């Protein structure tokens, strides 16, 4: 995937670049970002340099992950980070963090919506997942506002600093945003539809 820039009413989302390292380093000193996200702790300037110069470009080249620096306008400050990562055929996972000084203004929700639409339209995503520690209320609030449907709690669903933790999982489908799916989707029958009396019972895959 060629590096892509997305725009919204207030924001510009573009792949992280070397000039972002200083702001990434400053943002990741925040204990809340280190608490909930898979970033090194303590977080040094070398970590930021590696992220913007090596990790992000490798993800775009290998089509494994697409990380965006979210800025308030083309020349504005870094307000958030959003990443979309491949998790299998047509399934992707989204992650994000917000710069402390710019929280509470809806920037992350706006950026997640733009990244989701891009993933469905350009990556062919059929399902976009969100996962977070069950105690991460701020992340859950963003997911809810962006339209993710909560699907349950996964025991030991995420690993954080060497410890398995329970997490909530939610998902967004193209149809939730009024977009077509690149693959047909056959939802489970409703409870009312149930198997018909005397009908065949089939399970498993051919």
């Amino acid at each position: 995937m060629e590096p892509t820039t997305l725009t919204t009413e207030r924001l510009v989302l573009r792949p992280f670049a070397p000039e972002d390292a200083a702001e990434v380093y400053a943002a990741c000193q925040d204990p809340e970002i280190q608490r909930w996200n898979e970033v090194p702790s303590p977080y040094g300037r070398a970590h930021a340099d590696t992220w913007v110069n090596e990790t992000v470009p490798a993800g775009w080249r290998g089509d494994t992950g697409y990380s965006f620096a979210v800025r308030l306008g083309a020349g504005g400050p870094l307000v958030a980070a959003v990443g979309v990562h491949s998790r299998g055929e047509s399934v992707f996972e989204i992650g994000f963090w917000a710069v402390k000084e710019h929280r509470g203004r809806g920037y992350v929700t706006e950026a997640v919506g733009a990244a989701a639409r891009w993933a469905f339209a350009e990556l062919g995503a059929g399902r976009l997942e969100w996962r977070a520690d069950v105690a991460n209320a701020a992340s859950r609030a963003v997911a809810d506002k962006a339209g993710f449907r909560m699907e349950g709690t996964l025991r030991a669903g995420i690993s954080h600093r060497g410890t398995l933790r329970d997490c909530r999982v939610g998902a967004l489908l193209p149809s939730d945003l009024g977009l077509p799916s690149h693959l047909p989707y056959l939802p489970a029958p409703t409870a009312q539809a149930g198997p018909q009396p005397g009908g065949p019972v089939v399970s498993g895959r051919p």
Side-chain angles (χ1 to χ4, degrees):
M1 173 64 66
E2 287 295 318
T4 300
T5 296
L6 310 176
T7 59
T8 69
E9 182 178 349
R10 300 182 293 175
L11 307 171
V12 172
L13 290 71
R14 60 159 177 74
F16 280 95
E19 59 267 27
D20 300 319
E23 287 174 283
V24 171
Y25 167 69
C28 289
Q29 301 310 301
D30 179 11
E32 287 298 294
I33 289 180
Q34 295 187 23
R35 179 185 181 189
W36 300 119
N37 293 271
E38 283 300 310
V39 301
S41 181
Y43 194 90
R45 177 56 192 260
H47 295 124
D49 289 335
T50 298
W51 171 254
V52 301
N53 290 300
E54 300 177 22
T55 306
V56 171
W60 282 87
R61 286 195 306 268
D63 283 321
T64 57
Y66 314 93
S67 296
F68 294 92
V70 182
R71 291 191 169 274
L72 189 58
L78 181 73
V79 299
V82 172
V84 177
H85 304 278
S86 176
R87 292 293 182 257
E89 184 181 3
S90 297
V91 178
F92 293 80
E93 183 175 341
I94 196 163
F96 45 82
W97 49 255
V99 177
K100 181 178 180 179
E101 294 76 11
H102 298 285
R103 291 176 188 153
R105 301 169 190 173
Y107 296 146
V108 178
T109 302
E110 189 173 324
V112 166
R117 290 181 176 277
W118 172 78
F120 292 137
E122 301 300 328
L123 299 181
R127 172 181 169 89
L128 186 62
E129 291 187 348
W130 161 89
R131 298 186 187 204
D133 189 299
V134 292
N136 193 342
S139 184
R140 166 70 185 268
V142 169
D144 284 337
K145 291 174 185 175
F148 283 76
R149 297 189 185 183
M150 295 299 120
E151 297 179 339
T153 300
L154 301 179
R155 295 182 302 156
I158 57 174
S159 174
H160 186 63
R161 308 202 192 289
T163 301
L164 294 173
R165 300 170 183 263
D166 293 350
C167 73
R168 289 195 176 92
V169 61
L172 195 65
L173 305 185
S175 57
D176 296 331
L177 300 180
L179 299 173
S181 176
H182 287 262
L183 290 175
Y185 167 46
L186 180 64
T190 61
Q192 291 81 1
Q196 297 299 312
V201 177
V202 180
S203 64
R205 298 180 63 178

